[in-house]
Amino acid sequence: MDSDPGRYDVDLLLAARTGDVSAFAELYQRHSRAVLRYAWGRLGRQDSAEEVMQDTFVVAWAKRATAPIVDLSFLPYLLSVCRNHVSNELRRQQCSRVVPFTDTIAAPPHDDTLAWMQIELERLSPIDRQLCELCLGQGVSYRDAARIVDSTETAVGKRIQRARLRLRTGLGN
């Protein structure tokens, strides 16, 4: 489908609002590359960027009746939707990032530090120790850990936060 350079985005969006799928497809043709480049630049991964671009246009189609046009262009709205999806994806990636203990500590730095850590971990309540092992040691998500210990995801997050703080404070970090 060739994009008609004479048609403004506002005209295409108005047609899409009445259910004209080909008008929305033309908006997609015009702006998908820009949305993909923006997402790819922020995420650094093509596969994630393609998903975000797809999600952006799904939202744009769903909200076409109320989507704004800025200076006769639909692109600013698309990029703002894309920015929100990118932020969500970055949060998801951050939450699911796992760094195994074996890769971060090739050799024990100081025997007394590891001994202190072991003592501090043993001082934790059994549930906190189990959560540290699950979430920090095995990379289990807070949601899955909450199911395992019959708690809420928020409570698990708070318990892990307190345990990390206790360990950091003891190490002087």
Side-chain angles (χ1 to χ4, degrees):
M1 165 190 297
D2 291 332
S3 182
D4 180 3
R7 289 181 79 183
Y8 291 111
D9 285 0
V10 68
D11 298 328
L12 294 170
L13 184 59
L14 289 173
R17 285 178 178 169
T18 65
D20 187 347
V21 176
S22 64
F24 192 80
E26 191 169 334
L27 285 169
Y28 177 86
Q29 284 290 96
R30 281 185 185 184
H31 301 301
S32 60
R33 283 186 294 253
V35 171
L36 178 63
R37 279 192 305 268
Y38 175 80
W40 198 345
R42 297 274 318 272
L43 295 169
R45 292 184 43 184
Q46 182 180 1
D47 58 336
S48 296
E50 287 172 350
E51 275 189 50
V52 164
M53 180 191 67
Q54 179 181 353
D55 292 342
T56 298
F57 279 94
V58 167
V59 168
W61 173 258
K63 297 189 176 200
R64 68 190 182 279
T66 59
I69 293 286
V70 178
D71 294 331
L72 301 178
S73 178
F74 194 45
L75 186 58
Y77 172 74
L78 291 171
L79 291 176
S80 70
V81 171
C82 181
R83 181 187 66 236
N84 292 336
H85 284 290
V86 163
S87 296
N88 291 340
E89 179 61 24
L90 288 171
R91 273 193 296 277
R92 263 192 300 279
Q93 289 175 5
Q94 185 68 24
C95 289
S96 66
R97 190 177 71 196
V98 175
V99 180
F101 288 135
T102 56
D103 291 346
T104 58
I105 302 175
H110 304 306
D111 287 334
D112 58 335
T113 301
L114 291 177
W116 175 87
M117 253 186 179
Q118 185 63 37
I119 291 167
E120 281 301 312
L121 287 171
E122 287 172 5
R123 287 182 183 166
L124 294 174
S125 70
I127 189 99
D128 287 349
R129 229 183 356 258
Q130 182 181 9
L131 290 173
C132 284
E133 181 182 317
L134 288 169
C135 297
L136 303 178
Q138 297 175 14
V140 174
S141 71
Y142 288 2
R143 177 177 291 148
D144 291 340
R147 282 190 212 122
I148 291 169
V149 299
D150 193 30
S151 185
T152 66
E153 189 174 346
T154 304
V156 168
K158 287 294 184 183
R159 285 176 171 272
I160 295 292
Q161 181 182 19
R162 283 192 299 266
R164 282 181 171 162
L165 180 61
R166 186 174 186 174
L167 293 172
R168 274 191 213 119
T169 302
L171 288 171
N173 294 334

